[in-house]
Structure formats: structure tokens, C-alpha cells
Amino acid sequence: MSISALASAAPVSAVPVDTAPVVAVPGGTTMPATAAAVVDGAIGIVLDTLVEVERMIASLSAYRAVALDEVRRLARAADADSPTGNRGWSAEVTARRVAATEVSAALRISEREAEQLVADSAAIVTQLPATLSALREGRVSYRHASILVDEARSLPEAAWPSFEHAALPEAEVRTVGGFRQRARAVREGLHPDSLDTRRRAAAEMRSVTVEPGRDGMAWLTAHLPAEQAIGAYRRLTEIASGLSGPDEHRTLPQRRADVLADLLIDGIVAESGAGRGVRATVLVSVPALTLLGTPSASDAPSTLEGYGPISSEVATRLAAHAPSFVRVLTHPETGTVLSVGRERYAVPRDLRLWLRVRDETCRFPGCGRAAVNAEIDHTVDWQHEGATRHDNLAHLCSSHHQLKHRTDWRVHHAGGGALEWRSPSGRRYRTEPAVRLAS
């Protein structure tokens, strides 16, 4: 059955035995097929189609990898031919950044995802020919191929052919999860460095990240050395377990989460005592009527900087009582900022806060890094007579600040806080301010 025919076919329903088709049986006779047999046969046809669809997707993924790597190669060629010459980055870094930002903006995906796609595609196309062939022929999925690339990348390049030769057959017969486990085992046997050496290097990548969730929640994730992560988890569990009692209604996971928050927010760093009373300053935007206790259905939601909408109850409490949160009072209908706190009267500080409220994030297309962690950039450089005004300033994270100055990405203010960007390939993108402020 063709894919188009399958898409237009009616759902298979139960077939009465007396009207069901007949099937051949040994001896040359025929007998009516049961409804179950008809359904089983239909399922088999659909599964065959699904297998074929997956092969097509894998083949298209191979085509996409070749196209993505072509973008990288062309970006490098363009930089080599640029009359401005080297602007602080190597040709490879410039090509990678330009390719990633071009792909990110064109496909409306995050820059991190675009960078990963470009990097994986370069590895598959230029260094893993057998993997590219397997992907093109539909013998492995793109997820299998990306795992193979990820594990190979931690090996010296001289070991890549041996790793591919040993790991690729496993990718053709295992699930994604099963293949990752097997690929790690193959990698372990081929790595020239000891586990202790690699662990010390890996520890340099330790980090903590936060990702907004739904319904007023968020994920706080720590990437730590295993013994620290396990030790911290066990201590949380022991403290949380000690809080149990006849009047305790929280579950163990809930108590564990509460203990973590209490220790991190109100605790101190061991031995040094550093960190006591240190809190981050966070902006809370609250419609005026909400703060007065008379919210209406037409009110814009209250928002927490770096997270998004929060409940009116939480916003009111934070704005009224929490010393580490700065209240940003907004007009209940237009959303225009009415006040950012009179204690920030000095012009330079007020201007920075004004821009922080307006931008909320880095203003490069698709970037979501918080403005509080970004840099304020003169759109027209100061040395080129650019003024220090709201209509010539915007937040850019360090990465995109460098990109603006070291590649052919261009930007100008289009009014109302909007920015218009032109990529090196000539594509145009527009980013709007998070909040439109009265200028």
C-alpha cells in the first residue's frame, strides 16, 4: 500500500465472519478468514508502511546532513574571501558560528540545536562515511547516527574509523537506548586515556542550569562529579526522611525538594560561611489592579523575570514582601511600565533597568538568554558616533555580542524597541521587545 493510499484509507473495523474474505490453506482448499486475521493482516501492512517511512526519514536526514555541511563549507569560503579579513576568530570558528546562526534563524530553531546539527553533520559527512551510507540507505536512524557521533567525538580522531567499524553494526540492530550503552562500552575499550584522566577533564564541565516548566514550576539541574551528585542526593534524602511524622503530609520527594530549596536559598557554604544572606535581584512585573487586589480578566499576567507568567498570588507576595525582588508596576490595560522603583533614581542605573525590562532576553533572533546575564550593546558603535540612548542600545549575550562584531550579521533599530537583523546570506529577521515601554 502506498503512503498516499494509506493516508486516505478508512480505519479498519471489525469484519463479520460470514462476509470476510477467504484465505488459502494447505491442501488447496479455502476457508473464510476470521475478523482477527483480517485485522492482523491490516496491521502488518501498516507496520510495513511505517518501516518504509522510517527508512525515508533516515534517508532525508542524510540529505539534510549533506546540506547542513554545505552551509558550513560555504560560510568558511565566504569568510576566507571577506575583504574585512580576520576579526578575532579563526576561520573555522567564524564558519561554525555563521552557519549555526544562519540555520537557526532560517529553520526557527534554537542556536544550540542548530550548532549541534551543523557539528554532527560535519562529522558524519567528512569523517564517518560508513555512517552516512547507513543513514542514506535507512539502515540506521538519525538518532542512532547522532549517538555514534557523540561517542566518537570523545575519542582521538585517529580512533574514529575503528570505533565506527565496531559500533555501526550495533546501531543497525539495537534500540536507541541499547545502542548508546553498547557504544559507550565500545568507546571505553578504544580510549587511550585512563578513566581517572578523563574524569578530571570531565569535571571541568560541571554546571548548574535552570529550565522553566509548566504551572509555575521549573527544573533546576546540576551536572556534577558522580560522587558529589550521589552524596548530595543521599543527604537530601536523609534530611527529608528525618522530617517524617504523624503530622507530616508531604511525600518524601516533596520533602526532598523543599530541603534542597531551603539549603540553597537560606543556607551557607560549608566552612567559609560565604553566601549567608546573598540573594539575586529579580524583577516581578505586576499589573496595577492586581497589586491593589482587584484583578480583572483582561489584565496581562504577572511575570517573573527569566521565567514567564506566574500566579497573581505569588506576584503580589513577592512584590510586597520579598526584599530580593524588584517590583515593576504595569498599566492594567496597555502593559506600559508605570514604575521601576524610585530607589533607582540615578540615570545610568535607571536606563540599564529600563532596557532590562524592555528586552528581557538577548535580542538576537531565537536567543533566550536572560538580559540580566547579557551585555548592553551600542547598535551603532560608540567610536562611530553611536549615542548612549535607548534607541541605540540593546541586550546581547556575550556570544552574540561577539558575533555582531566579528561576522557580517548586521542590525538596526526599527522603532518601538524592535530590531531588524540581516544575516550574512542576506536573510532578514525582526525581534520585538518583550515589553513596549513609553520612551
Side-chain angles (χ1 to χ4, degrees):
M1 179 182 290
S2 68
I3 294 176
S4 59
L6 178 66
S8 61
V12 177
S13 58
V15 180
V17 174
D18 58 351
T19 61
V22 296
V23 296
V25 297
T29 61
T30 61
M31 61 179 297
T34 65
V38 171
V39 173
D40 287 344
I43 290 175
I45 293 173
V46 175
L47 290 176
D48 288 342
T49 303
L50 286 174
V51 170
E52 184 60 29
V53 168
E54 288 300 312
R55 287 180 182 147
M56 294 172 63
I57 291 173
S59 183
L60 289 172
S61 296
Y63 183 84
R64 181 183 65 177
V66 173
L68 285 166
D69 191 55
E70 185 69 6
V71 172
R72 181 190 64 85
R73 291 197 320 103
L74 291 171
R76 181 160 188 173
D79 182 72
D81 194 45
S82 173
T84 57
N86 186 288
R87 285 173 280 189
W89 284 341
S90 68
E92 186 61 36
V93 169
T94 302
R96 176 173 57 81
R97 292 301 311 281
V98 168
T101 50
E102 287 274 20
V103 170
S104 169
L107 300 186
R108 299 189 302 279
I109 60 178
S110 71
E111 189 174 334
R112 178 176 296 181
E113 183 180 357
E115 285 183 345
Q116 191 68 53
L117 282 173
V118 171
D120 287 356
S121 296
I124 292 171
V125 173
T126 64
Q127 296 174 283
L128 299 167
T131 302
L132 179 61
S133 294
L135 192 61
R136 184 180 287 123
E137 295 166 10
R139 292 184 283 117
V140 299
S141 71
Y142 185 77
R143 292 179 66 192
H144 288 88
S146 64
I147 289 172
L148 193 147
V149 170
D150 184 49
E151 297 296 334
R153 195 172 278 129
S154 64
L155 291 167
E157 289 190 13
W160 283 33
S162 298
F163 175 74
E164 183 184 38
H165 178 75
L168 187 56
E170 302 289 343
E172 297 183 23
V173 297
R174 294 178 182 269
T175 64
V176 169
F179 173 60
R180 182 177 287 281
Q181 291 181 339
R182 181 57 188 157
R184 285 174 178 168
V186 172
R187 166 191 174 271
E188 191 68 34
L190 292 173
H191 208 293
D193 297 331
S194 69
L195 181 57
D196 287 341
T197 300
R198 284 180 277 130
R199 188 269 186 194
R200 285 192 291 270
E204 296 296 320
M205 303 302 294
R206 60 191 182 277
S207 64
V208 177
T209 59
V210 64
E211 179 183 355
R214 295 188 181 93
D215 304 323
M217 302 294 285
W219 295 97
L220 179 66
T221 304
H223 184 218
L224 300 170
E227 70 277 8
Q228 294 181 7
I230 293 173
Y233 184 81
R234 287 180 178 173
R235 186 180 182 214
L236 289 174
T237 301
E238 290 172 0
I239 297 174
S241 298
L243 297 177
S244 61
D247 297 326
E248 178 57 69
H249 302 294
R250 293 173 298 174
T251 65
L252 178 59
Q254 289 172 340
R255 296 199 303 273
R256 191 185 289 121
D258 293 343
V259 167
L260 174 65
D262 290 341
L263 288 176
L264 293 180
I265 294 173
D266 295 318
I268 62 173
V269 177
E271 298 181 0
S272 68
R276 185 190 298 274
V278 175
R279 293 175 179 269
T281 298
V282 183
L283 303 181
V284 182
S285 299
V286 191
L289 294 182
T290 297
L291 200 61
L292 294 174
T294 56
S296 68
S298 61
D299 280 354
S302 301
T303 60
L304 179 65
E305 180 190 34
Y307 178 80
I310 56 175
S311 70
S312 298
E313 177 186 355
V314 172
T316 302
R317 174 170 54 81
L318 294 179
H321 304 296
S324 59
F325 291 84
V326 177
R327 183 189 70 198
V328 179
L329 192 63
T330 62
H331 190 283
E333 295 179 359
T334 66
T336 301
V337 171
L338 303 177
S339 169
V340 293
R342 294 304 300 168
E343 71 276 8
R344 285 166 173 77
Y345 180 77
V347 174
R349 182 176 296 183
D350 277 350
L351 180 57
R352 288 196 299 270
L353 188 59
W354 192 93
L355 292 168
R356 178 173 159 185
V357 173
R358 183 197 71 182
D359 292 344
E360 193 172 288
T361 66
C362 168
R363 295 297 304 280
F364 188 81
C367 186
R369 293 182 179 91
V372 67
N373 297 320
E375 302 164 356
I376 297 179
D377 170 64
H378 284 73
T379 304
V380 177
D381 292 348
W382 176 265
Q383 62 266 32
H384 297 151
E385 306 302 322
T388 304
R389 290 173 44 88
H390 67 89
D391 53 2
N392 189 50
L393 298 171
H395 282 88
L396 294 179
C397 67
S398 176
S399 175
H400 291 127
H401 197 173
Q402 293 183 59
L403 183 84
K404 172 178 174 282
H405 290 289
R406 296 182 175 181
T407 72
D408 290 328
W409 276 94
R410 296 291 178 263
V411 61
H412 74 272
H413 282 254
L419 299 182
E420 289 189 352
W421 292 82
R422 182 180 62 80
S423 76
S425 68
R427 287 176 174 265
R428 296 185 180 275
Y429 305 94
R430 183 183 176 98
T431 63
E432 301 289 345
V435 178
R436 291 190 176 275
L437 304 177
S439 57

